[in-house]
Amino acid sequence: MKLYSLSVLHKGASKANLLKAAYDLSSFSFFQRSSVQEFMTFTSSLIVERSSHGSRASVKEQEYLCHVYVRNDSLSAVVIADNEYPSRVCFTLLDKVLDEFSKQVDRIDWPSGSPTTINYTALDGYLAKYQNPREADAMSKVQAELDETKIILVSSVNYMI
Amino acid sequence: MSSSALKTMAESEEEVDVLVQRVVKDINNALKKNPNIDEIGLIPCPEARYNRSPIVLVENKLGVESWCIKFLLPYVHNKLLLYRQRKLWLGKDALIDITCTLLLLNPDFTTAWNVRKELIQSGALSPEKDLYLGKLALTKFPKSPETWIHRRWVLQSLIQECCPSKACKERSGAVAVTAAQTERLQRILQEEMKACSEAAGRYPSNYNAWSHRIWVIQNLAKDNKKVFLDELSSMKYWVSMHVSDHSGFHYRQFLLKSLVEDPGCVLDKTASALQSTSNEHCASLPKEEASAEIQRTVVPDLFNEELELCTDLIESYPGHETLWCHRRYVFFLWHHWNHKQGSPLNSRDRQLDNSSSATTGGKSAQAMDVDGMMDPNKQVYTQETKRLKRGPLQGCQGLPTEHRFITKTLTDCRSTEQARFANAYQKWLDSVLGQ
């Protein structure tokens, strides 16, 4: 049950812009980590580009599940997990991160910001804390919140237009 | 180095020889100079950089650039086969280096492991060094069947070395040696548990790793039931974080079954906290009665805990079939054990437990238990006191509890898969247990 990456992006008109990302690649072979990170960065961006405003989706890509939330104001977040990690907790995490991010980082910086210019440091902490879903979130609370029928399930990034 | 230069190089067999021998030396020197290397890996690198070794050492991780594999592997493979066919003589050091290189690239090459068996038997290679190589190979090939099989050969010969014969132990002079050997075996046991855990984490439902773990427990901790208890307790967190790893739960089933069938004598000085409450009055009972007493006190607790763990995980992580399969096993084992226990005392217990739980939720029994505990002078062990001291079984109360659990799950759940598993479980209870 693992989380591998957590990213905040801005969905631009044609492209997604990465604002901040955190990675936990400790479970991968040492020499694979840089290419895995590249894959996750690229996939997160691609998924945001292909998702509509105001949508939540779980996209299966290879052996990973990528959970994405694109807000109406274009602020987006993607968490890449394995297939054991409960998706409900992922969506709670995405909501939380975007809520906090939007309060700490000025809207004006979203379209053009980059990980080096953006001042938001909580992602690493969230990624570490949420590795154990039960410690991170009271499961009962999570189960009450989300209406699961609104989450789109996609079996591959290739099927997203 | 450009690919055409490489090709020219490859065409010259002598030059390939030189290159490969250099790579073999580099690998083995790296291992010798850095005993903390804990992982091996392949670095995708299609072309060689001019005059640089393909062996990379970073942060205790040993990497091999992929371009050299097509030269390296056939060469060392061939050399070893020639040695085996007695067409080529190789000294012990060369054999160690070559088999090491080979096995890090392809640990399922049985011949290489067999050469190392011979080296161990002749004393040229230490078993612990060989186990270390296996552990490294498993970081890249966590399932490798031949690695696990060879590992068991090494462990078996270590066991024989440490415990030659019972007669030896009884000789007074051999006592000190046995203690040191026991410590060695303890260390080896812990190392094996670590190797299995790591391999299990690297590949989901790693059957080979978990089967090996079972073998190790059976052979290195045969009569030491405390190890079984410790394993059951220490693996709780692991299975909670790998809820669809069927092999992990199967390991728990093996531990539980072994403990249920033979909880071990509590008079053993390695008794754990779980057994300590029984210690006082058990010490005064003859062995068969003591063992029966353990059956009545320790075993129900084991079932309760396991079923509680299962319930907790099923509720927290809906839709994982592995958890439901585990529940079936545990419940069936309990059901079978309960029937075997069938004595007038026990059947009365079951009736009482079921009826009390149906009305007061077992509270009256609990209250009387507290009274009993508060009066230290009340040491009379009548049938009544024994039954009440056991208290109500929280986790494992039989079919009524299971039915209630299923109903609750079906009411609360929002996952179609969870509902499907719950219904299947209901069907199973009805058909298999016939009630």
Side-chain angles (χ1 to χ4, degrees), chain B residues 94-138:
Chain B
L95 278 175
I96 290 177
D97 286 356
I98 283 180
T99 52
C100 176
T101 305
L102 257 170
L103 291 165
L104 288 177
L105 297 173
N106 177 18
D108 281 320
F109 185 32
T110 318
T111 305
W113 286 121
N114 288 342
V115 167
R116 288 179 81 90
K117 287 184 178 73
E118 288 172 0
L119 289 166
I120 291 174
Q121 280 174 327
S122 71
L125 176 63
S126 99
E128 267 99 345
K129 272 222 167 82
D130 192 58
L131 288 174
Y132 169 70
L133 179 68
K135 227 181 156 191
L136 274 185
L138 290 169

Side-chain angles (χ1 to χ4, degrees), chain B residues 168-406:
Chain B
C168 248
K169 278 192 203 165
E170 283 159 10
R171 260 182 264 140
S172 54
V175 169
V177 176
T178 313
Q181 298 290 46
T182 312
E183 249 191 70
R184 188 184 184 199
L185 285 179
Q186 250 312 107
R187 255 183 293 121
I188 288 169
L189 174 68
Q190 290 312 314
E191 269 303 305
E192 285 313 292
M193 295 296 104
K194 242 180 81 187
C196 290
S197 277
E198 283 174 18
R202 289 199 155 93
Y203 190 84
S205 279
N206 190 339
Y207 176 81
N208 295 341
W210 290 104
S211 309
H212 182 80
R213 197 174 186 135
I214 288 175
W215 183 93
V216 169
I217 295 284
Q218 283 173 325
N219 289 273
L220 276 169
K222 204 173 6 218
D223 300 315
N224 188 355
K225 292 302 172 177
K226 181 178 185 294
V227 172
F228 285 71
L229 280 171
D230 287 345
E231 280 286 285
L232 210 53
S233 149
S234 67
M235 292 312 292
K236 261 193 190 176
Y237 181 74
W238 198 95
V239 297
S240 304
M241 298 300 281
H242 296 83
V243 292
S244 61
D245 194 312
H246 196 93
S247 300
F249 283 96
H250 174 259
Y251 181 61
R252 293 190 76 79
Q253 291 160 17
F254 154 75
L255 292 170
L256 191 64
K257 183 159 195 253
S258 307
L259 284 167
V260 164
E261 287 175 350
D262 176 22
C265 184
V266 79
L267 299 173
D268 195 332
K269 44 183 143 71
T270 54
S272 79
L274 195 65
Q275 297 172 323
S276 63
T277 47
S278 325
N279 260 335
E280 299 133 28
H281 61 97
C282 253
S284 54
L285 295 170
K287 192 164 178 181
E288 296 106 46
E289 256 198 70
S291 151
E293 182 63 27
I294 299 159
Q295 280 279 331
R296 279 195 292 271
T297 52
V298 172
V299 174
D301 283 341
L302 289 174
F303 278 120
N304 288 349
E305 273 185 46
E306 198 62 28
L307 222 53
E308 265 177 38
L309 171 69
C310 199
T311 300
D312 183 34
L313 292 176
I314 287 178
E315 285 173 352
S316 300
Y317 305 113
H320 287 280
E321 191 166 21
T322 304
L323 299 172
W324 288 95
C325 290
H326 188 62
R327 195 182 189 89
R328 288 189 197 194
Y329 184 91
V330 176
F331 186 75
F332 190 78
L333 189 68
W334 174 84
H335 186 82
H336 185 71
W337 173 82
N338 213 19
H339 272 239
K340 260 174 68 183
Q341 292 294 295
S343 67
L345 170 69
N346 276 301
S347 54
R348 218 192 318 139
D349 285 344
R350 258 182 291 136
Q351 282 178 353
L352 233 78
D353 277 345
N354 279 345
S355 61
S356 68
S357 63
T359 52
T360 65
K363 285 203 183 99
S364 54
Q366 235 172 358
M368 296 194 77
D369 187 38
V370 168
D371 282 350
M373 293 291 277
M374 279 169 67
D375 187 356
N377 294 320
K378 200 171 179 185
Q379 288 293 317
V380 184
Y381 272 93
T382 59
Q383 302 284 51
E384 279 290 295
T385 318
K386 270 187 196 164
R387 172 178 57 78
L388 293 169
K389 245 198 157 170
R390 214 176 77 207
L393 298 168
Q394 305 293 347
C396 216
Q397 277 177 303
L399 281 169
T401 320
E402 292 310 285
H403 290 312
R404 274 197 299 275
F405 174 71
I406 293 168

Side-chain angles (χ1 to χ4, degrees), chain A residues 80-120:
Chain A
I80 301 185
D82 69 1
N83 50 26
E84 275 184 351
Y85 197 96
S87 59
R88 280 179 190 156
V89 180
C90 287
F91 286 109
T92 304
L93 174 60
L94 296 178
D95 276 1
K96 199 175 183 151
V97 164
L98 290 183
D99 192 45
E100 201 180 88
F101 187 93
S102 59
K103 290 180 182 143
Q104 286 185 24
V105 179
D106 251 343
R107 179 179 296 255
I108 213 152
D109 295 328
W110 299 354
S112 56
S114 76
T116 41
T117 64
I118 295 289
N119 187 15
Y120 178 70

Side-chain angles (χ1 to χ4, degrees), chain A residues 1 30 84 134 139 143, chain B residues 39 241 244 312 316 414:
Chain A
M1 195 171 297
F30 182 83
E84 275 184 351
R134 292 201 288 182
M139 295 301 277
Q143 289 188 21
Chain B
E39 194 183 312
M241 298 300 281
S244 61
D312 183 34
S316 300
R414 296 150 138 239

